[in-house]
Amino acid sequence: GLAADIYEASPYAGGRCRNDWDDGYKFFVGAGSTEPQWETTFSYLHELGIEDQVEQQAGEASMGFVTNGQPHLMRLGGPIPQMLGQLINFLPAFPAGTYAQGIKFLATMGKYRKALDFEKGDFSALEEISDVSIYDWCQQNGYPDLCTYVLDPLVSNMVCDNSHHISMGHVIMLFSLMTGMCTLKDGMGVISEKLYEQVADQVKLRTPVEEVVIESGKVRGVKVGGELVEYDEVIVALDAITTRKLAPGLTDAQRTALESCNYSSVYYYQFGLKKANPTLGHGAVFYAANEGGYLAGLSQSDDGTGHPLLMSQTRIEKFEELSAMSADERLKLVIAETRKVLPDFPENPPKVHVYRWNISVNLEASSQFEAVNDFKANHLNDVEGLRLGHAQPTRMCLLGETACKKERF
């Protein structure tokens, strides 16, 4: 194998893919589920011998939307008569026109999906809709209700921002890639835990990198504690904003591409409960865009040890207002907002963990598509020895695994 040092600024390995423990409760930091199309994740599951961790959720999970202040849920899977009964109860959740718009939208999405080449990573068919937001595209093409009641709620939870800021090309990409959600029995963090066991001797915790040093178009190494540590190759596995700060020697073309990346911001509350909320069950509800309020979605699952976890995710439009509050004020507000939809949610949950992500999810904003394609085609290797290993839905940079296989690696 290759000799490598891994620098981690935080006191723990795993970044945003880890588990936090608190008095027997297990809280899932970062991603709570995955899908089969994420090949790197599943290759790790195979390599680490933990493929038995995978649990498919269809058949036991519910999904729904909050409209007019009320949750409307439908179980995914189960006996057909039961599903039909739930569907009848679910229909009033949206204005009638939403369903006709949805059928038309599926046909449109199918046209774009057929033009995408996932094997070669060719998504050029999305170029014509990459520079328009989901909201604007829906207004221009006759899908206003679908945007308000379906698309905006979904992307607000998946990308942590609203339909005004996210490219229409992104939503086509997301829905095209979806092949069925699944979770891991011990949380997504189990992958990080198992990987850390194998490379712990190479990981330097509490050791932030101050600069990726680039001179004359070639990487020299990294600056740590004010000293240069020389390396032939450096893989940067960070968001685009942090990468720009740490690597001032990037070429102008590389910097321009990274500057096109915008990110959402979110507060993510997790409540450890003594018993599951009966209204939500094992499932999730997403708030329609016209609901107002501070929350984008609610979800509930088991932490893998028998304790129910209920998650409340805030809306991007409210992030600055929430940030101006004290921690206690913000918590009381989130609990009050949750109780509006789930009246039997406790006023004082037994356990509370909150995660604030200033840089949450890449929006794949309208300005990014063209810049990224130019970056991939012409500027990925402008700096000799520098590998940008941050994964995004449209492959903003190379996956770490792929980066390691390029040229001298």
Side-chain angles (χ1 to χ4, degrees):
L2 296 169
D5 293 322
I6 304 169
Y7 293 90
E8 171 60 62
S10 69
Y12 42 75
R16 298 187 189 181
C17 186
R18 68 179 197 278
N19 298 324
D20 277 349
W21 288 89
D22 183 354
D23 195 23
Y25 286 83
K26 181 166 59 179
F27 295 87
F28 304 132
V29 183
S33 59
T34 186
E35 295 183 85
Q37 76 267 16
W38 304 120
E39 295 178 1
T40 302
T41 298
F42 280 80
S43 67
Y44 277 138
L45 292 172
H46 176 72
E47 179 183 335
L48 298 169
I50 53 175
E51 290 174 296
D52 59 348
Q53 285 274 334
V54 177
E55 293 182 324
Q56 299 291 338
Q57 294 303 304
E60 61 181 76
S62 298
M63 188 182 80
F65 297 85
V66 176
T67 60
N68 299 317
Q70 298 298 316
H72 302 270
L73 286 132
M74 181 173 177
R75 184 176 294 276
L76 305 176
I80 292 179
Q82 181 181 2
M83 290 185 63
L84 289 175
Q86 291 187 46
L87 178 60
I88 292 172
N89 292 329
F90 183 83
L91 288 175
F94 306 142
T98 309
Y99 296 99
Q101 292 172 25
I103 294 171
K104 181 183 174 184
F105 176 77
L106 288 174
T108 302
M109 190 178 76
K111 179 190 74 172
Y112 283 108
R113 191 182 187 284
K114 289 180 181 178
L116 302 179
D117 190 332
F118 293 98
E119 185 174 339
K120 294 182 179 179
D122 181 5
F123 310 120
S124 57
L126 298 178
E127 188 168 359
E128 64 182 79
I129 57 172
S130 68
D131 61 349
V132 62
S133 71
I134 298 169
Y135 177 84
D136 288 341
W137 187 89
C138 286
Q139 300 305 311
Q140 295 165 10
N141 292 276
Y143 301 99
D145 290 340
L146 186 71
C147 183
T148 297
Y149 294 100
V150 180
L151 297 182
D152 188 281
L154 287 175
V155 298
S156 290
N157 284 269
M158 296 174 71
V159 188
C160 306
D161 207 331
N162 61 46
S163 57
H164 292 266
H165 301 148
I166 303 170
S167 164
M168 189 61 202
H170 191 180
V171 77
I172 297 290
M173 177 68 70
L174 281 176
F175 292 163
S176 297
L177 287 171
M178 290 173 67
T179 55
M181 290 284 187
C182 58
T183 59
L184 303 185
K185 294 176 185 176
D186 295 322
M188 295 294 294
V190 70
I191 298 177
S192 300
E193 292 168 1
K194 296 294 184 181
L195 285 172
Y196 182 64
E197 289 174 4
Q198 295 190 7
V199 298
D201 291 342
Q202 298 166 264
V203 178
K204 302 176 186 298
L205 299 177
R206 298 182 178 86
T207 311
V209 169
E210 297 154 5
E211 181 185 339
V212 176
V213 180
I214 299 169
E215 295 180 357
S216 302
K218 176 179 172 57
V219 71
R220 282 199 60 198
V222 297
K223 186 179 291 185
V224 179
E227 300 292 332
L228 173 66
V229 184
E230 294 190 355
Y231 294 99
D232 293 328
E233 307 276 351
V234 173
I235 297 176
V236 180
L238 298 167
D239 61 87
I241 295 173
T242 308
T243 298
R244 296 200 313 263
K245 292 178 180 177
L246 288 184
L250 291 169
T251 65
D252 290 342
Q254 289 179 318
R255 186 167 295 279
T256 297
L258 294 177
E259 286 173 349
S260 73
C261 298
N262 297 314
Y263 294 81
S264 55
S265 302
V266 67
Y267 283 96
Y268 193 54
Y269 282 79
Q270 296 191 32
F271 300 99
L273 306 177
K274 291 182 179 179
K275 60 179 181 179
N277 183 276
T279 302
L280 191 53
H282 186 105
V285 288
F286 313 125
Y287 286 68
N290 58 0
E291 282 297 295
Y294 292 82
L295 300 184
L298 303 170
S299 60
Q300 185 170 247
S301 63
D302 188 282
D303 72 347
T305 68
H307 296 110
L309 289 181
L310 192 144
M311 284 71 80
S312 298
Q313 179 177 314
T314 63
R315 293 193 67 84
I316 181 66
E317 307 94 303
K318 301 295 184 179
F319 184 76
E320 290 187 7
E321 182 180 347
L322 289 166
S323 297
M325 299 178 184
S326 69
D328 287 342
E329 289 173 331
R330 194 164 48 242
L331 174 60
K332 289 178 181 178
L333 178 61
V334 169
I335 291 176
E337 291 283 295
T338 302
R339 284 173 56 82
K340 287 180 181 178
V341 173
L342 305 174
D344 42 4
F345 182 74
E347 292 186 39
N348 296 293
K351 295 292 179 181
V352 180
H353 277 226
V354 58
Y355 303 96
R356 168 179 167 154
W357 306 126
N358 292 334
I359 301 174
S360 180
V361 181
N362 189 323
L363 301 181
E364 304 287 328
S366 56
S367 61
Q368 184 174 323
F369 191 88
E370 185 177 348
V372 167
N373 280 342
D374 178 64
F375 175 86
K376 289 164 55 181
N378 303 307
H379 304 291
L380 195 59
N381 298 309
D382 279 3
V383 176
E384 184 180 349
L386 179 66
R387 308 296 170 220
L388 301 176
H390 185 50
Q392 292 296 343
T394 54
R395 305 314 197 264
M396 172 61 237
C397 305
L398 294 177
L399 289 169
E401 180 184 11
T402 306
C404 289
K405 294 177 180 177
K406 296 292 281 189
E407 299 178 359
R408 287 169 297 282
F409 261 78

